[in-house]
Amino acid sequence: LGDVRAEIPEDLPDVQNDELIKSVLTKGVDLRQYSRQIEQELNDLEDEQLASYEEHEGALLELDSEIRSCDEVLENMERLLVNFKSSLGAINNDIQSLQNDSLSMSVKLKNRVVAEKQLDKIIQGVVVPPDAVRLICNGEVNERYLECLVEVNKRIAYMRVHSKQHKRLRAFQEIQPELDRLCFRASSKLREFLLDKINVLRSLNSNAHVLQSSIFLKYRFFNHFLIERHPEAAVEVRDNYIHIMRQYYLDHFETYQRGLMKLERVVADKTDVIGMEESNKLSLFGAAKPVARDKANVFNLGARASSALIESEDSSPRAIVLSIASDANEKYTFEALFRSYSLALVDNATTEYEFIMQFFVSPKARQRITGSDMARMVFSHIFDPSMRVGEQFLKAYLETTYDALGVLLCVRIMSQLASELQRRQVPVLDSYVNSMNMLLWPRFQAILDGHIESAKRLASYKAKSKIDTQPPAIVRRYAELASSLLRLNQGYNTHVVALSLARLRTEVQAYLAHVADGSSDKHASLVFLINSYDLLLTVLYENGFSEREEEVSSWKQEFATTVMAFAESELEKHFGYLKLFVIDAERQSDIAQISADELGRTASVFNGEWRAQISAINSSIIQSFSNFRTGTEILHVVLGQLIIYYTRFHSLYDKRIARRAASASEICQPVGVQTVMVDIKKYRNNF
């Protein structure tokens, strides 16, 4: 076996690895015998295979025939598939060619659409319909004409914007001269149309505002077209309108101003000053003439503010209608007439300014000045004469008036008009408002200076020794004038008004002091001052002013000081011994220096007459002051001072007598303070 293994080549790994051979070699089988056995088995197998082949020969031949038939069919199928593949390749080429053609056609279509849009825009921008051309050249100027003109203006604007971009286009070169001729023809017709409509305004019977809204604003594009395309014609139209409307407004405002002057009711004359005595007003022949009692009070504002001021709830928002006022035979104070004229001027100016901004200012026009400046210029040319009429109207009044309230009301009217103009955003009447104020304020100051000088003149006269305790006429006049001026100054706090009131107050106070100092009767002088101050305060309080106002607080202080002086005077008159004793005793450095005998005599006198003296004080006050409130207040002050002096007397009595306890029974015991106070309470409601 070892020899056999040695004979096997080592380079036969497949033989060595064969399982069958390994098994044979392992078992020690005889290889020659085993080889013969294997050979015999192979021969037997070959015989069996040959027998089987002979047995199935027919079937195999038939199978071979079928295989050959299948090969022929497959060859035919191969030829068909090859032909089909060739056809598909041709179709694919055709599809690619069609796709390329489609892409090319799509690009061409897009380019054609873009070009068509651009050409259509250009055509629409330059081509004017023949009907529109015929209408603009030969048609009537109406709404249809306006529509066609708008279209033509669009063509002109398009040509102007795109002329440089498309200057090489033949259409642009050909259409430009035609559009220029069409524009000139349209400008000529529009000029004639607008001038004819403006000439209608020459008639005083025409209503300019109705024509403005119904015709001019409706066709304002016509004027805008002239401003943009034919400035010379637009200037002619504007100048013609300015000339006619200036005269139109001037005639109307002059007529209205003359009518208002006929309705004026004169309120004050030169003699109507607070310091003029009634007896000084002379009649035509120099004799004294009393003032009529039903004459309007020139110092009391009354309802004048509510009927004159624009922002008042009671005032009418409309101007005075001359025909209605004349038929009713009504008369008005000047401030009402001035308010009416100013309202008419402001309303017309507002309407005119808004019209000018819409009609004469074109947003697309190329002008050297802004639209607002152009509107101001046109408005100024139109309304300057009418504003001068208003100034002359006011000047004529101011030259003759002495009505301070009327002048100040006119000032407030101008202030409210300025606010109204600001609310309406109409800035063209600022100069008018300023010029009116420049006229009003100096005259107002001059009139108040006249009142101040009249008070000075009264104070320069020699005072009478016998004084009338009732307030003089100047007090009520001043109180009503001051209240009226304060009412008109509420919300404005004008320094001129406040300063003039302070000067006037100083002069009136000086006059009252002059009258009081000239009297030989101190009691009557104090009563005169108290009654005068009381009247002043009563009028101020009735007009709704409190002590927060400087005018009220100043007179209130004077009133309180005078009442205190009156109280001291009354106590001096009725309880002078008590007052003198208390003052002298309190000056002593040592309480022991006070005479006990004098103390007892003072107490004795007071015990004997205090009730009678209090009653006398009450009677004196009742006779001196007819005003319930004032009399009560003064009585309380006098009796209050009495209690103060008497309390001080009791304090001195208690301190002095305490050191002489042994002899206290020898000194008269004064009445108790509480007893006096209980009795005083009886006089609280005597007024």
Side-chain angles (χ1 to χ4, degrees):
L1 181 59
D3 294 337
V4 174
R5 290 180 176 178
E7 292 177 0
I8 297 174
E10 295 179 359
D11 57 350
L12 296 177
D14 294 336
V15 174
Q16 293 179 355
N17 295 330
D18 186 84
E19 294 295 330
L20 181 60
I21 293 175
K22 286 181 178 182
S23 175
V24 171
L25 292 177
T26 303
K27 294 178 180 181
V29 178
D30 185 2
L31 294 177
R32 292 183 181 88
Q33 181 63 33
Y34 186 72
S35 173
R36 285 191 295 272
Q37 181 182 350
I38 293 302
E39 184 178 358
Q40 182 63 38
E41 289 177 355
L42 289 174
N43 290 331
D44 293 339
L45 181 60
E46 181 181 2
D47 292 339
E48 289 178 1
Q49 291 296 327
L50 289 175
S52 175
Y53 179 78
E54 289 176 357
E55 183 180 355
H56 296 88
E57 180 181 6
L60 291 174
L61 291 175
E62 185 179 357
L63 177 62
D64 180 66
S65 177
E66 290 179 355
I67 289 173
R68 292 180 184 275
S69 177
C70 287
D71 288 340
E72 293 178 359
V73 172
L74 291 175
E75 288 178 359
N76 292 332
M77 289 293 296
E78 182 181 7
R79 287 194 297 271
L80 289 174
L81 290 175
V82 170
N83 293 334
F84 183 70
K85 180 180 179 182
S86 300
S87 298
L88 286 177
I91 292 173
N92 183 46
N93 293 333
D94 293 340
I95 290 174
Q96 289 181 352
S97 176
L98 290 174
Q99 185 177 7
N100 293 332
D101 293 342
S102 176
L103 291 175
S104 176
M105 291 175 64
S106 176
V107 172
K108 291 179 180 180
L109 178 61
K110 289 181 180 179
N111 294 336
R112 185 183 296 272
V113 170
V114 172
E116 183 179 355
K117 288 182 179 179
Q118 293 179 351
L119 288 174
D120 182 67
K121 186 177 180 180
I122 295 174
I123 292 173
Q124 293 294 329
V126 300
V127 175
V128 181
D131 293 341
V133 175
R134 285 192 294 270
L135 180 61
I136 288 176
C137 294
N138 304 315
E140 180 183 358
V141 179
N142 50 26
E143 294 183 8
R144 176 58 183 161
Y145 193 94
L146 174 61
E147 295 174 359
C148 294
L149 186 65
V150 171
E151 294 299 323
V152 170
N153 189 59
K154 291 180 180 178
R155 289 355 180 232
I156 296 174
Y158 183 86
M159 291 288 293
R160 174 177 292 180
V161 173
H162 299 88
S163 58
K164 294 182 179 180
Q165 181 182 358
H166 305 301
K167 61 181 180 180
R168 296 183 179 180
L169 292 179
R170 185 176 179 180
F172 271 68
Q173 298 173 359
E174 293 180 353
I175 199 67
Q176 185 63 56
E178 299 299 328
L179 282 178
D180 292 340
R181 285 192 289 271
L182 189 62
C183 177
F184 182 80
R185 177 58 180 168
S187 299
S188 177
K189 290 181 70 67
L190 295 179
R191 170 187 169 277
E192 295 176 1
F193 174 80
L194 292 176
L195 290 178
D196 289 341
K197 296 301 181 183
I198 290 173
N199 287 330
V200 177
L201 299 172
R202 292 182 182 274
S203 173
L204 280 175
N205 296 326
S206 62
N207 191 323
H209 296 163
V210 173
L211 292 175
Q212 287 173 349
S213 60
S214 62
I215 296 178
F216 291 103
L217 290 181
K218 180 180 179 181
Y219 296 114
R220 62 179 174 269
F221 180 77
F222 290 163
N223 195 51
H224 292 177
F225 182 85
L226 291 180
I227 295 172
E228 298 169 15
R229 311 302 175 199
H230 205 298
E232 294 81 5
V235 171
E236 183 182 0
V237 170
R238 185 189 68 201
D239 291 344
N240 195 44
Y241 176 84
I242 290 174
H243 174 73
I244 292 177
M245 289 303 295
R246 177 170 55 193
Q247 192 62 41
Y248 173 87
Y249 281 117
L250 179 61
D251 293 340
H252 278 78
F253 277 109
E254 283 182 340
T255 303
Y256 189 61
Q257 181 256 345
R258 287 192 296 268
L260 290 176
M261 291 181 67
K262 296 177 182 179
L263 303 177
E264 183 180 0
R265 172 167 56 86
V266 178
V267 175
D269 55 29
K270 189 174 183 179
T271 61
D272 287 313
V273 290
I274 64 170
M276 181 62 68
E277 294 293 338
E278 301 291 340
S279 59
N280 289 343
K281 294 192 175 183
L282 302 180
S283 67
L284 180 63
F285 301 100
K289 174 184 175 183
V291 178
R293 295 195 179 275
D294 59 349
K295 182 179 179 180
N297 194 329
V298 299
F299 306 106
N300 188 5
L301 187 61
R304 293 174 67 180
S306 61
S307 61
L309 295 181
I310 297 173
E311 297 176 356
S312 173
E313 296 181 356
D314 300 330
S315 62
S316 172
R318 302 180 60 184
I320 296 173
V321 181
L322 294 179
S323 58
I324 297 176
S326 298
D327 294 341
N329 196 25
E330 294 181 353
K331 296 294 182 181
Y332 299 89
T333 54
F334 178 80
E335 66 269 10
L337 304 179
F338 181 72
R339 168 189 176 276
S340 183
Y341 184 90
S342 299
L343 273 179
L345 183 68
V346 168
D347 290 343
N348 282 274
T350 301
T351 303
E352 188 64 28
Y353 178 74
E354 292 175 350
F355 170 77
I356 291 171
M357 286 294 294
Q358 296 181 61
F359 190 76
F360 288 104
V361 177
S362 174
K364 299 179 181 179
R366 299 177 180 178
Q367 296 176 336
R368 289 176 295 177
I369 61 176
T370 62
S372 59
D373 291 339
M374 172 64 71
R376 286 173 180 268
M377 182 193 71
V378 175
F379 179 88
S380 177
H381 287 317
I382 293 174
F383 260 84
D384 276 351
S386 299
M387 289 190 288
R388 284 194 292 271
V389 171
E391 292 177 5
Q392 293 301 322
F393 182 37
L394 182 61
K395 283 182 180 179
Y397 165 74
L398 294 178
E399 289 173 357
T400 58
T401 187
Y402 293 89
D403 181 13
L405 299 183
V407 176
L408 189 55
L409 278 170
C410 291
V411 172
R412 298 312 180 212
I413 288 171
M414 294 312 300
S415 298
Q416 294 180 358
L417 282 179
S419 301
E420 179 64 16
L421 288 169
Q422 187 176 7
R423 185 187 67 81
R424 297 182 185 184
Q425 298 182 350
V426 178
V428 289
L429 287 180
D430 294 343
S431 60
Y432 173 77
V433 173
N434 293 334
S435 63
M436 290 300 195
N437 285 328
M438 292 293 290
L439 294 173
L440 288 165
W441 278 116
R443 185 55 186 166
F444 172 77
Q445 188 64 60
I447 295 174
L448 282 186
D449 288 343
H451 288 296
I452 294 170
E453 290 300 321
S454 68
K456 284 184 178 180
R457 284 195 302 271
L458 282 182
S460 65
Y461 297 155
K462 184 178 180 180
K464 298 178 181 180
S465 59
K466 186 177 181 180
I467 190 172
D468 184 2
T469 58
Q470 294 303 311
I474 186 176
V475 174
R476 176 165 287 279
R477 292 172 186 166
Y478 166 78
E480 292 178 346
L481 178 61
S483 299
S484 300
L485 294 178
L486 287 173
R487 283 178 59 189
L488 292 178
N489 204 37
Q490 286 180 324
Y492 297 94
N493 299 323
T494 308
H495 179 68
V496 175
V497 177
L499 182 61
S500 298
L501 267 178
R503 292 173 55 207
L504 191 58
R505 180 173 67 246
T506 301
E507 296 303 328
V508 171
Q509 177 60 38
Y511 165 73
L512 295 177
H514 171 71
V515 174
D517 294 341
S519 174
S520 58
D521 187 349
K522 182 179 180 182
H523 173 81
S525 298
L526 293 173
V527 172
F528 164 77
L529 290 176
I530 290 174
N531 284 333
S532 298
Y533 297 153
D534 179 58
L535 178 58
L536 282 168
L537 292 171
T538 299
V539 174
L540 290 170
Y541 287 142
E542 287 176 351
N543 283 273
F545 299 109
S546 64
E547 294 184 15
R548 289 178 296 180
E549 293 286 344
E550 182 182 357
E551 190 73 18
V552 178
S553 62
S554 176
W555 289 115
K556 185 67 175 178
Q557 183 177 358
E558 293 291 339
F559 176 79
T561 302
T562 308
V563 167
M564 185 58 67
F566 177 82
E568 295 292 338
S569 175
E570 285 295 296
L571 292 179
E572 183 74 29
K573 179 179 177 181
H574 297 279
F575 295 97
Y577 61 92
L578 177 66
K579 177 181 175 183
L580 181 62
F581 177 82
V582 170
I583 293 174
D584 290 341
E586 289 178 344
R587 290 175 181 173
Q588 302 297 328
S589 59
D590 186 3
I591 195 67
Q593 296 178 358
I594 300 176
S595 172
D597 295 337
E598 187 68 23
L599 188 66
R601 284 193 298 269
T602 301
S604 176
V605 173
F606 184 85
N607 291 346
E609 62 180 26
W610 67 275
R611 283 191 173 89
Q613 293 299 331
I614 290 177
S615 178
I617 291 174
N618 180 61
S619 300
S620 175
I621 293 176
I622 290 176
Q623 294 174 4
S624 300
F625 307 104
S626 58
N627 188 307
F628 172 83
R629 179 186 57 80
T630 304
T632 303
E633 181 179 350
I634 294 172
L635 180 60
H636 289 170
V637 173
V638 175
L639 297 181
Q641 283 297 105
L642 173 60
I643 291 298
I644 291 174
Y645 278 113
Y646 193 62
T647 302
R648 289 158 63 184
F649 173 78
H650 249 280
S651 177
L652 293 170
Y653 181 88
D654 293 341
K655 291 178 181 178
R656 180 68 180 85
I657 299 306
R659 295 194 176 188
R660 296 182 57 184
S663 58
S665 59
E666 301 175 0
I667 301 176
C668 180
Q669 181 73 23
V671 178
V673 176
Q674 292 297 326
T675 302
V676 177
M677 292 180 66
V678 169
D679 204 73
I680 284 176
K681 291 180 180 179
K682 300 177 182 178
Y683 295 94
R684 283 186 175 180
N685 301 320
N686 282 1
F687 281 85

